[in-house]
Amino acid sequence: VSLPVLYVYRATGNTVATDSHRITAYGTSTAYANAAKVPTNYVLDPASQSQTVTYLGSSADPAQIIFYVKATAVEADLKVRYILLDGPQYGTEYEETVVLTGVGIHTVLPSTGIVPPLYEIAPWTPSSHTVTVNADGTVTPNEVIFQYYYPY
C-alpha cells in the first residue's frame, strides 16, 4: 500500500511538499522523512524525523504520514518610499531598501535622516506599516510609502 506523506509548516498548517511511502510488509514499520523533499527556506522539525506506521493488510494506521517543518531565517527586501508632497522640494521622492529577517509580521517605521529637515510625516499617512515576510522570501506588500509635508 502507498501512503501519502505531507510536509506541513507547523506555524500555519499549510502543506509545503508531498511524497509517498510504500509499505510492503504486514505489521509495524517506521517511515522516515526525506530531507530532499523539504523545500528551500524550510528545515525538518527535529521532533518530526520519523513516524511509526502499522499495516493491517487492507489499510494502514495512520492513513497518511505527516512530517512537520520549520522556516529557516528568511530574509526579504522591502522597498520603502518617502514622498514630499509640498514645500521647497515638492515632488521629490526618496527610496531605501530595508532587509527584514524572519518569517512573520513586521512593523516598519520611517527611517530618520532620509527626508530633509523641517518636513513632517503627513497626518493622513500611517506612522508605521505592517508587512508579512513569507517563507519563500517574498514580502507582502512589496513596498510601503510614507508621505511628508512642509508645515511652514
Side-chain angles (χ1 to χ4, degrees):
V1 68
S2 185
L3 299 178
V5 176
L6 307 177
Y7 292 85
V8 175
Y9 179 38
R10 188 181 295 276
T12 63
N14 294 336
T15 299
V16 297
T18 60
D19 197 4
S20 62
H21 177 73
R22 185 141 180 84
I23 300 175
T24 56
Y26 290 95
T28 300
S29 63
T30 302
Y32 293 95
N34 180 353
K37 293 292 183 177
V38 178
T40 303
N41 297 328
Y42 294 97
V43 293
L44 280 168
D45 187 326
S48 187
Q49 301 288 322
S50 63
Q51 186 171 349
T52 302
V53 180
T54 303
Y55 180 48
L56 307 172
S58 61
S59 64
D61 182 30
Q64 67 181 6
I65 300 167
I66 298 174
F67 294 115
Y68 290 99
V69 297
K70 301 185 301 184
T72 58
V74 174
E75 288 188 345
D77 292 342
L78 174 69
K79 181 168 39 169
V80 180
R81 294 173 48 207
Y82 303 85
I83 300 173
L84 306 184
L85 300 175
D86 59 8
Q89 295 186 38
Y90 169 75
T92 302
E93 192 171 311
Y94 300 91
E95 185 178 298
E96 70 173 330
T97 299
V98 175
V99 178
L100 303 171
T101 302
V103 171
I105 297 170
H106 296 262
T107 300
V108 180
L109 301 170
S111 294
T112 57
I114 301 278
V115 173
L118 304 179
Y119 278 87
E120 296 178 6
I121 195 158
W124 56 83
T125 195
S127 59
S128 67
H129 289 280
T130 301
V131 299
T132 302
V133 173
N134 304 301
D136 65 0
T138 60
V139 61
T140 307
N142 63 355
E143 75 172 18
V144 297
I145 298 172
F146 293 102
Q147 297 177 332
Y148 286 77
Y149 77 108
Y150 191 78
Y152 304 99

PDB file of all heavy atoms in Angstrom, residues 9 19 32 34 53 56 60 65 67 73 78 81-82 92 109-110 136 146-148:
ATOM      1  N   TYR A   9       4.052  22.930   7.286  1.00  0.00           N
ATOM      2  CA  TYR A   9       4.664  24.045   8.014  1.00  0.00           C
ATOM      3  C   TYR A   9       3.857  24.237   9.290  1.00  0.00           C
ATOM      4  O   TYR A   9       2.706  24.630   9.267  1.00  0.00           O
ATOM      5  CB  TYR A   9       4.660  25.298   7.139  1.00  0.00           C
ATOM      6  CG  TYR A   9       5.241  26.533   7.783  1.00  0.00           C
ATOM      7  CD1 TYR A   9       6.354  26.471   8.623  1.00  0.00           C
ATOM      8  CD2 TYR A   9       4.696  27.778   7.551  1.00  0.00           C
ATOM      9  CE1 TYR A   9       6.887  27.602   9.209  1.00  0.00           C
ATOM     10  CE2 TYR A   9       5.223  28.923   8.120  1.00  0.00           C
ATOM     11  CZ  TYR A   9       6.316  28.830   8.946  1.00  0.00           C
ATOM     12  OH  TYR A   9       6.844  29.943   9.531  1.00  0.00           O
ATOM     13  N   ASP A  19       4.889  13.650  -0.738  1.00  0.00           N
ATOM     14  CA  ASP A  19       5.669  12.497  -1.164  1.00  0.00           C
ATOM     15  C   ASP A  19       4.763  11.283  -0.943  1.00  0.00           C
ATOM     16  O   ASP A  19       3.588  11.436  -0.589  1.00  0.00           O
ATOM     17  CB  ASP A  19       6.952  12.401  -0.324  1.00  0.00           C
ATOM     18  CG  ASP A  19       8.016  11.496  -0.950  1.00  0.00           C
ATOM     19  OD1 ASP A  19       7.798  10.997  -2.070  1.00  0.00           O
ATOM     20  OD2 ASP A  19       9.065  11.281  -0.307  1.00  0.00           O
ATOM     21  N   TYR A  32      10.534   7.325   7.450  1.00  0.00           N
ATOM     22  CA  TYR A  32      11.490   8.388   7.736  1.00  0.00           C
ATOM     23  C   TYR A  32      11.268   9.557   6.784  1.00  0.00           C
ATOM     24  O   TYR A  32      10.983   9.355   5.600  1.00  0.00           O
ATOM     25  CB  TYR A  32      12.928   7.878   7.607  1.00  0.00           C
ATOM     26  CG  TYR A  32      13.271   6.860   8.660  1.00  0.00           C
ATOM     27  CD1 TYR A  32      13.148   5.496   8.404  1.00  0.00           C
ATOM     28  CD2 TYR A  32      13.680   7.259   9.927  1.00  0.00           C
ATOM     29  CE1 TYR A  32      13.443   4.556   9.384  1.00  0.00           C
ATOM     30  CE2 TYR A  32      13.978   6.331  10.911  1.00  0.00           C
ATOM     31  CZ  TYR A  32      13.847   4.983  10.632  1.00  0.00           C
ATOM     32  OH  TYR A  32      14.128   4.056  11.591  1.00  0.00           O
ATOM     33  N   ASN A  34      12.120  12.457   4.275  1.00  0.00           N
ATOM     34  CA  ASN A  34      13.106  12.600   3.211  1.00  0.00           C
ATOM     35  C   ASN A  34      13.494  14.079   3.137  1.00  0.00           C
ATOM     36  O   ASN A  34      12.742  14.899   2.616  1.00  0.00           O
ATOM     37  CB  ASN A  34      12.517  12.119   1.888  1.00  0.00           C
ATOM     38  CG  ASN A  34      13.490  12.230   0.743  1.00  0.00           C
ATOM     39  OD1 ASN A  34      14.576  12.790   0.886  1.00  0.00           O
ATOM     40  ND2 ASN A  34      13.098  11.693  -0.402  1.00  0.00           N
ATOM     41  N   VAL A  53       4.264   3.385  11.546  1.00  0.00           N
ATOM     42  CA  VAL A  53       3.081   3.056  10.743  1.00  0.00           C
ATOM     43  C   VAL A  53       2.788   1.575  10.930  1.00  0.00           C
ATOM     44  O   VAL A  53       3.695   0.747  10.925  1.00  0.00           O
ATOM     45  CB  VAL A  53       3.330   3.354   9.249  1.00  0.00           C
ATOM     46  CG1 VAL A  53       2.111   3.010   8.425  1.00  0.00           C
ATOM     47  CG2 VAL A  53       3.738   4.804   9.049  1.00  0.00           C
ATOM     48  N   LEU A  56      -2.148  -3.098   8.205  1.00  0.00           N
ATOM     49  CA  LEU A  56      -3.086  -4.116   8.648  1.00  0.00           C
ATOM     50  C   LEU A  56      -3.592  -5.004   7.511  1.00  0.00           C
ATOM     51  O   LEU A  56      -4.535  -5.749   7.683  1.00  0.00           O
ATOM     52  CB  LEU A  56      -4.280  -3.440   9.334  1.00  0.00           C
ATOM     53  CG  LEU A  56      -3.915  -2.462  10.453  1.00  0.00           C
ATOM     54  CD1 LEU A  56      -5.143  -1.712  10.935  1.00  0.00           C
ATOM     55  CD2 LEU A  56      -3.232  -3.202  11.586  1.00  0.00           C
ATOM     56  N   ALA A  60      -3.778   1.120   6.572  1.00  0.00           N
ATOM     57  CA  ALA A  60      -2.632   1.438   7.424  1.00  0.00           C
ATOM     58  C   ALA A  60      -3.067   2.459   8.463  1.00  0.00           C
ATOM     59  O   ALA A  60      -4.015   3.219   8.263  1.00  0.00           O
ATOM     60  CB  ALA A  60      -1.494   1.988   6.584  1.00  0.00           C
ATOM     61  N   ILE A  65       0.969  10.143   6.436  1.00  0.00           N
ATOM     62  CA  ILE A  65       2.117  10.444   7.283  1.00  0.00           C
ATOM     63  C   ILE A  65       2.382  11.944   7.204  1.00  0.00           C
ATOM     64  O   ILE A  65       2.421  12.511   6.107  1.00  0.00           O
ATOM     65  CB  ILE A  65       3.345   9.647   6.814  1.00  0.00           C
ATOM     66  CG1 ILE A  65       3.043   8.139   6.904  1.00  0.00           C
ATOM     67  CG2 ILE A  65       4.578  10.014   7.626  1.00  0.00           C
ATOM     68  CD1 ILE A  65       4.043   7.273   6.191  1.00  0.00           C
ATOM     69  N   PHE A  67       4.992  14.985   8.388  1.00  0.00           N
ATOM     70  CA  PHE A  67       6.239  15.466   8.963  1.00  0.00           C
ATOM     71  C   PHE A  67       6.142  16.986   9.031  1.00  0.00           C
ATOM     72  O   PHE A  67       5.686  17.629   8.085  1.00  0.00           O
ATOM     73  CB  PHE A  67       7.450  15.061   8.120  1.00  0.00           C
ATOM     74  CG  PHE A  67       7.680  13.575   8.086  1.00  0.00           C
ATOM     75  CD1 PHE A  67       7.558  12.861   6.910  1.00  0.00           C
ATOM     76  CD2 PHE A  67       8.021  12.890   9.244  1.00  0.00           C
ATOM     77  CE1 PHE A  67       7.766  11.495   6.879  1.00  0.00           C
ATOM     78  CE2 PHE A  67       8.238  11.516   9.219  1.00  0.00           C
ATOM     79  CZ  PHE A  67       8.105  10.812   8.039  1.00  0.00           C
ATOM     80  N   ALA A  73      15.824  31.036   8.776  1.00  0.00           N
ATOM     81  CA  ALA A  73      15.924  32.501   8.874  1.00  0.00           C
ATOM     82  C   ALA A  73      15.843  33.094   7.475  1.00  0.00           C
ATOM     83  O   ALA A  73      16.825  33.164   6.747  1.00  0.00           O
ATOM     84  CB  ALA A  73      17.218  32.901   9.560  1.00  0.00           C
ATOM     85  N   LEU A  78      12.463  44.903   1.380  1.00  0.00           N
ATOM     86  CA  LEU A  78      11.259  45.733   1.298  1.00  0.00           C
ATOM     87  C   LEU A  78      11.650  47.115   0.798  1.00  0.00           C
ATOM     88  O   LEU A  78      12.561  47.741   1.344  1.00  0.00           O
ATOM     89  CB  LEU A  78      10.593  45.849   2.675  1.00  0.00           C
ATOM     90  CG  LEU A  78       9.404  46.797   2.753  1.00  0.00           C
ATOM     91  CD1 LEU A  78       8.215  46.236   1.977  1.00  0.00           C
ATOM     92  CD2 LEU A  78       9.023  47.074   4.197  1.00  0.00           C
ATOM     93  N   ARG A  81       9.425  53.911   0.353  1.00  0.00           N
ATOM     94  CA  ARG A  81       9.457  55.179  -0.389  1.00  0.00           C
ATOM     95  C   ARG A  81       9.013  56.317   0.520  1.00  0.00           C
ATOM     96  O   ARG A  81       8.093  56.167   1.319  1.00  0.00           O
ATOM     97  CB  ARG A  81       8.547  55.087  -1.609  1.00  0.00           C
ATOM     98  CG  ARG A  81       9.062  54.078  -2.621  1.00  0.00           C
ATOM     99  CD  ARG A  81       8.108  53.814  -3.774  1.00  0.00           C
ATOM    100  NE  ARG A  81       7.597  55.039  -4.351  1.00  0.00           N
ATOM    101  CZ  ARG A  81       6.416  55.114  -4.970  1.00  0.00           C
ATOM    102  NH1 ARG A  81       5.646  54.055  -5.084  1.00  0.00           N
ATOM    103  NH2 ARG A  81       6.002  56.260  -5.478  1.00  0.00           N
ATOM    104  N   TYR A  82       9.669  57.472   0.346  1.00  0.00           N
ATOM    105  CA  TYR A  82       9.352  58.694   1.086  1.00  0.00           C
ATOM    106  C   TYR A  82       9.032  59.761   0.044  1.00  0.00           C
ATOM    107  O   TYR A  82       9.887  60.095  -0.791  1.00  0.00           O
ATOM    108  CB  TYR A  82      10.554  59.137   1.932  1.00  0.00           C
ATOM    109  CG  TYR A  82      11.019  58.073   2.910  1.00  0.00           C
ATOM    110  CD1 TYR A  82      11.910  57.077   2.522  1.00  0.00           C
ATOM    111  CD2 TYR A  82      10.545  58.063   4.215  1.00  0.00           C
ATOM    112  CE1 TYR A  82      12.328  56.106   3.419  1.00  0.00           C
ATOM    113  CE2 TYR A  82      10.968  57.097   5.123  1.00  0.00           C
ATOM    114  CZ  TYR A  82      11.851  56.123   4.709  1.00  0.00           C
ATOM    115  OH  TYR A  82      12.264  55.167   5.600  1.00  0.00           O
ATOM    116  N   THR A  92       9.739  65.572  -4.673  1.00  0.00           N
ATOM    117  CA  THR A  92      10.954  64.771  -4.510  1.00  0.00           C
ATOM    118  C   THR A  92      10.587  63.453  -3.825  1.00  0.00           C
ATOM    119  O   THR A  92       9.746  63.410  -2.941  1.00  0.00           O
ATOM    120  CB  THR A  92      11.997  65.525  -3.666  1.00  0.00           C
ATOM    121  OG1 THR A  92      12.289  66.770  -4.305  1.00  0.00           O
ATOM    122  CG2 THR A  92      13.278  64.718  -3.521  1.00  0.00           C
ATOM    123  N   LEU A 109       8.880  51.247  10.438  1.00  0.00           N
ATOM    124  CA  LEU A 109       8.816  52.662  10.806  1.00  0.00           C
ATOM    125  C   LEU A 109       9.658  53.455   9.813  1.00  0.00           C
ATOM    126  O   LEU A 109      10.612  52.923   9.244  1.00  0.00           O
ATOM    127  CB  LEU A 109       9.354  52.863  12.222  1.00  0.00           C
ATOM    128  CG  LEU A 109       8.639  52.104  13.331  1.00  0.00           C
ATOM    129  CD1 LEU A 109       9.419  52.201  14.631  1.00  0.00           C
ATOM    130  CD2 LEU A 109       7.242  52.651  13.514  1.00  0.00           C
ATOM    131  N   PRO A 110       9.345  54.739   9.620  1.00  0.00           N
ATOM    132  CA  PRO A 110      10.176  55.534   8.715  1.00  0.00           C
ATOM    133  C   PRO A 110      11.579  55.732   9.309  1.00  0.00           C
ATOM    134  O   PRO A 110      11.733  55.906  10.514  1.00  0.00           O
ATOM    135  CB  PRO A 110       9.421  56.863   8.610  1.00  0.00           C
ATOM    136  CG  PRO A 110       8.527  56.915   9.801  1.00  0.00           C
ATOM    137  CD  PRO A 110       8.228  55.493  10.182  1.00  0.00           C
ATOM    138  N   ASP A 136       8.832  31.870   1.555  1.00  0.00           N
ATOM    139  CA  ASP A 136       9.553  31.806   0.279  1.00  0.00           C
ATOM    140  C   ASP A 136      10.430  33.032   0.039  1.00  0.00           C
ATOM    141  O   ASP A 136      11.018  33.188  -1.027  1.00  0.00           O
ATOM    142  CB  ASP A 136       8.594  31.588  -0.880  1.00  0.00           C
ATOM    143  CG  ASP A 136       7.630  32.747  -1.090  1.00  0.00           C
ATOM    144  OD1 ASP A 136       7.681  33.748  -0.341  1.00  0.00           O
ATOM    145  OD2 ASP A 136       6.799  32.649  -2.020  1.00  0.00           O
ATOM    146  N   PHE A 146       5.685  56.385   2.815  1.00  0.00           N
ATOM    147  CA  PHE A 146       5.461  57.396   3.830  1.00  0.00           C
ATOM    148  C   PHE A 146       5.400  58.755   3.119  1.00  0.00           C
ATOM    149  O   PHE A 146       6.290  59.069   2.322  1.00  0.00           O
ATOM    150  CB  PHE A 146       6.583  57.395   4.876  1.00  0.00           C
ATOM    151  CG  PHE A 146       6.631  56.151   5.719  1.00  0.00           C
ATOM    152  CD1 PHE A 146       7.567  55.161   5.471  1.00  0.00           C
ATOM    153  CD2 PHE A 146       5.721  55.975   6.762  1.00  0.00           C
ATOM    154  CE1 PHE A 146       7.604  54.011   6.245  1.00  0.00           C
ATOM    155  CE2 PHE A 146       5.762  54.825   7.544  1.00  0.00           C
ATOM    156  CZ  PHE A 146       6.700  53.847   7.289  1.00  0.00           C
ATOM    157  N   GLN A 147       4.354  59.518   3.388  1.00  0.00           N
ATOM    158  CA  GLN A 147       4.202  60.836   2.780  1.00  0.00           C
ATOM    159  C   GLN A 147       4.539  61.904   3.790  1.00  0.00           C
ATOM    160  O   GLN A 147       4.176  61.812   4.960  1.00  0.00           O
ATOM    161  CB  GLN A 147       2.764  61.018   2.269  1.00  0.00           C
ATOM    162  CG  GLN A 147       2.391  60.040   1.190  1.00  0.00           C
ATOM    163  CD  GLN A 147       0.947  60.196   0.752  1.00  0.00           C
ATOM    164  OE1 GLN A 147       0.104  60.625   1.522  1.00  0.00           O
ATOM    165  NE2 GLN A 147       0.683  59.838  -0.490  1.00  0.00           N
ATOM    166  N   TYR A 148       5.232  62.950   3.299  1.00  0.00           N
ATOM    167  CA  TYR A 148       5.668  64.049   4.162  1.00  0.00           C
ATOM    168  C   TYR A 148       5.145  65.379   3.612  1.00  0.00           C
ATOM    169  O   TYR A 148       4.980  65.524   2.394  1.00  0.00           O
ATOM    170  CB  TYR A 148       7.199  64.089   4.248  1.00  0.00           C
ATOM    171  CG  TYR A 148       7.754  62.995   5.100  1.00  0.00           C
ATOM    172  CD1 TYR A 148       7.852  61.693   4.641  1.00  0.00           C
ATOM    173  CD2 TYR A 148       8.164  63.261   6.404  1.00  0.00           C
ATOM    174  CE1 TYR A 148       8.351  60.686   5.444  1.00  0.00           C
ATOM    175  CE2 TYR A 148       8.663  62.251   7.215  1.00  0.00           C
ATOM    176  CZ  TYR A 148       8.755  60.964   6.730  1.00  0.00           C
ATOM    177  OH  TYR A 148       9.238  59.972   7.532  1.00  0.00           O
TER     178      TYR A 148
END
